[in-house]
Amino acid sequence: MADLNIEQVPGGVVLTDVGDFDPLKIFECGQCFRWNRAPDGSYRGVAFSRVATVREEAGRVFISGTPEDVDAIWRDYFDLDRDYAAIRQRLSVDAYMAEATAFGAGLRLLRQEPWEALCSFILSQCNNIPRIKSIIEAFCKCFGEPLAHDGHRYYAFPTVERTASLTVEDLQPIRSGFRAPALLSAARAVVDGTLDLLALQQQTPEAALAALKRLERVGDKVASCVMLFGLHMQDAFPVDTWMAKVLAEQYPQGLDPAIFSPYAGIAQQYMFYHRRCQGCGTAPR
DNA sequence: AAACAGGCCTAAA
DNA sequence: TTTAGGCCTGTT
């Protein structure tokens, strides 16, 4: 693993040679729900029970916290050891993909916590992003550990154990509707060992997909999102309504995601982001 | 007001 | 094997 170029600055660190790091694209390409944009363009969010502020300017990436945090958490979370410029080139197999990857330059796939990804994408079904975010924030505020940062209070994502101890009535305040029972049964499956999320990473994509789909209200789409965003299986290829549009418009004759292997999931994210941003400069709400 | 939102599940052909 | 409705809830 090559060394990162890190400068220590007041309140945090600056990475000087990351490349392909645009916070707006990373945090608003639809892969995560707990980062919010501040008026100055920086983002603040919570991951791995840490609060951080992230900002980028002229190729310099500021992350609040210590160099040790970068090593322990953020280097992995932001997938800093992957060369996204090279991947964009690899994925530019046709004119459309060349455009989509150029448009999405700066995007990165976050390596999120498996349980958080499973929860988030169970909650995402048949919902829009603002509401997904508000449900997840309510969930964290009700059942997550409080975290102090900058004189404000934030909340860690609720543990799977805590979640497994809850009832549907407990979840009423988060207004997750018909998704609540699925959230609880997923937590119980993880806690009682029926589903070993970490072990799935060692399995074949087919086996991992099948295991996830045994959960209540987890079908192909949610399972693929968990694999891609929570288990870091870069070949997983979620197809939601937006991706279905892309496939119909760009590949009416059909598309085998294997042509992007081993990065089909990253290809999917460039396509998704490009399609959702069509006609506007930034990600729509 | 009615339709819709980053699916899933079941019943019915 | 494919297809239509229904589902909690909030927003438009």
Side-chain angles (χ1 to χ4, degrees), chain A residues 72-226:
Chain A
I73 308 278
W74 305 120
R75 180 177 195 152
D76 185 64
Y77 183 70
F78 288 109
D79 203 18
L80 294 181
D81 292 297
R82 198 183 299 279
D83 182 350
Y84 277 79
I87 290 176
R88 283 189 282 114
Q89 187 165 10
R90 154 74 181 94
L91 297 178
S92 297
V93 298
D94 55 34
Y96 165 69
M97 281 305 294
E99 182 187 326
T101 55
F103 180 79
L107 189 157
R108 290 177 162 267
L109 273 279
L110 296 172
R111 298 170 69 86
Q112 302 181 57
E113 294 179 83
W115 164 241
E116 177 172 340
L118 177 56
C119 267
S120 299
F121 287 95
I122 285 174
L123 293 172
S124 78
Q125 60 189 267
C126 201
N127 243 332
N128 52 46
I129 290 181
R131 201 163 103 79
I132 298 167
K133 290 180 76 169
S134 80
I135 290 172
I136 290 175
E137 278 324 294
F139 181 48
C140 295
K141 192 165 184 175
C142 289
F143 307 110
E145 286 300 312
L147 308 166
H149 180 88
D150 253 20
H152 294 274
R153 175 160 283 209
Y154 296 83
Y155 295 88
F157 200 86
T159 65
V160 62
E161 291 81 9
R162 180 74 204 280
T163 309
S165 76
L166 302 174
T167 65
V168 173
E169 298 76 62
D170 294 329
L171 283 178
Q172 191 54 34
I174 78 171
R175 315 297 290 158
S176 60
F178 62 79
R179 304 156 195 85
L183 194 61
L184 298 183
S185 68
R188 286 166 192 151
V190 172
V191 166
D192 74 19
T194 305
L195 181 72
D196 184 343
L197 281 172
L198 290 179
L200 292 186
Q201 293 180 301
Q202 317 307 326
Q203 309 205 186
T204 64
E206 296 73 22
L209 187 76
L212 287 165
K213 284 176 66 174
R214 282 183 213 118
L215 297 173
E216 183 184 344
R217 299 208 71 86
V218 175
D220 283 306
K221 193 274 181 179
V222 169
S224 305
C225 284
V226 174

